[in-house]
Amino acid sequence: FFFIFSIASKTNPIYSEILIWDEGEGFYPDDIPHLFERFYRGKNASSNGIGIGLALAKSIFELQNGNITARNLPDGGACFEIRIYSH
């Protein structure tokens, strides 16, 4: 598969933010609350994954005083929002 995605970033006194999004189908709504659970595999998951990637990413960002969230964009596509807080 070949994926096309976009990245944007910004920084303010409170946090640095990175947005990563694509123009694909987005997430199934039922999957969104569970995306960061260990061993969860969404409806569009590849057959070779075991469901630890997003859980691991979330743990790493939390250890760095940050967070990661996922959502669908209004016009289609999926978006990950990463924030690393300054203090």
Side-chain angles (χ1 to χ4, degrees):
F1 290 93
F2 180 59
F3 294 99
I4 298 174
F5 60 93
S6 301
I7 299 174
S9 65
K10 69 178 181 180
T11 301
N12 63 44
I14 300 170
Y15 58 83
S16 295
E17 178 180 74
I18 301 169
L19 298 175
I20 304 167
W21 70 94
D22 65 23
E23 296 177 4
E25 299 175 15
F27 301 110
Y28 283 100
D30 292 344
D31 287 340
I32 293 174
H34 307 285
L35 288 174
F36 298 99
E37 294 174 9
R38 190 177 306 168
F39 304 118
Y40 182 79
R41 298 187 68 237
K43 291 178 177 66
N44 274 341
S46 67
S47 61
N48 61 352
I50 58 172
I52 61 170
L54 291 177
L56 181 60
K58 180 179 179 183
S59 295
I60 292 168
F61 286 119
E62 288 175 348
L63 288 171
Q64 298 300 317
N65 195 29
N67 62 30
I68 181 171
T69 58
R71 60 186 163 93
N72 284 326
L73 298 173
D75 295 329
C79 181
F80 287 98
E81 181 177 294
I82 301 163
R83 288 187 177 176
I84 306 293
Y85 293 90
S86 301
H87 303 286

